[in-house]
Amino acid sequence: MKKIITNRLYLIPFTVELCEELLNNNISILSQYGLEPSIGWPDTDMVETLPRILINLKKVPAPTGFESWLIVNKENNTIIGDIGFKGVPNIGGVIDIGYGVVVQERQKGYASEAAEGLIHWAFTQPYVKSITAQSLTDNIGSAKTLERLGFNRTGLLGNFIQWRLFKKI
């Protein structure tokens, strides 16, 4: 299984089997990967996203990297969140990133570290030109994370700030 390795984290791609088992409330599958869920994972947002991840995974023979990834703390092999793209790049080479970290692991730089690793991987793909993101207007932590990563605000859509990061050529 491919993974992205950062200083403190592993990013491991979701699989069809993993999504199906999690949708059936079976977290025991994680032990097959040597992983433990942290308290609060999977959270409501993750569970609501699983069907969309599964749909994207069933379109390809194996994870492409443009689906979702587990964020795993290297120190104890505990899943502390998830991150990913909402599908393959569009015709303009744009992908959209989203992420979440369990409450007790926030404000430790994990979201930034995971996003930086995934963004680096994405920009090594020749057809990716830019990455978009959204953050709720009241989610100051997420906005600061995106700013630290170099994203620029591009607008407001309802309760969401729109962001974009261009590949440096």
Side-chain angles (χ1 to χ4, degrees):
M1 176 186 327
K2 69 178 171 182
K3 63 173 99 169
I4 294 172
I5 301 169
T6 68
N7 186 38
R8 300 176 294 163
L9 306 170
Y10 295 122
L11 304 182
I12 300 173
F14 276 84
T15 63
V16 168
E17 178 187 30
L18 181 59
C19 288
E20 288 174 341
E21 292 298 318
L22 290 173
L23 280 168
N24 288 322
N25 294 317
N26 181 10
I27 61 170
S28 65
I29 188 172
L30 297 172
S31 63
Q32 293 176 19
Y33 298 98
L35 302 173
E36 289 288 327
S38 61
I39 295 168
W41 193 93
D43 62 11
T44 304
D45 288 341
M46 171 79 280
V47 173
E48 289 174 0
T49 305
L50 278 170
R52 289 190 300 265
I53 297 170
L54 191 55
I55 288 167
N56 284 337
L57 284 169
K58 286 186 173 182
K59 292 178 184 175
V60 294
T64 65
F66 292 107
E67 300 84 22
S68 290
W69 301 69
L70 300 167
I71 301 173
V72 180
N73 184 325
K74 276 191 206 177
E75 188 177 307
N76 55 16
N77 285 335
T78 301
I79 301 168
I80 61 169
D82 43 84
I83 188 167
F85 299 112
K86 298 172 185 167
V88 297
N90 68 17
I91 195 151
V94 180
I95 50 178
D96 192 63
I97 194 170
Y99 52 84
V101 173
V102 295
V103 173
Q104 68 273 17
E105 298 297 343
R106 292 181 186 163
Q107 298 185 345
K108 297 178 182 178
Y110 290 128
S112 294
E113 186 175 333
E116 190 173 2
L118 194 55
I119 289 165
H120 174 76
W121 173 85
F123 281 154
T124 65
Q125 309 308 305
Y127 36 89
V128 174
K129 308 250 185 290
S130 68
I131 301 172
T132 58
Q134 298 183 71
S135 64
L136 285 165
T137 53
D138 63 353
N139 190 338
I140 296 164
S142 189
K144 286 183 179 181
T145 296
L146 292 166
E147 287 172 347
R148 265 192 305 277
L149 292 166
F151 280 78
N152 293 306
R153 292 176 190 232
T154 59
L156 196 60
L157 183 61
N159 292 331
F160 290 93
I161 302 169
Q162 305 298 304
W163 302 84
R164 184 174 289 230
L165 177 66
F166 287 94
K167 183 178 192 174
K168 293 182 175 117
I169 300 172

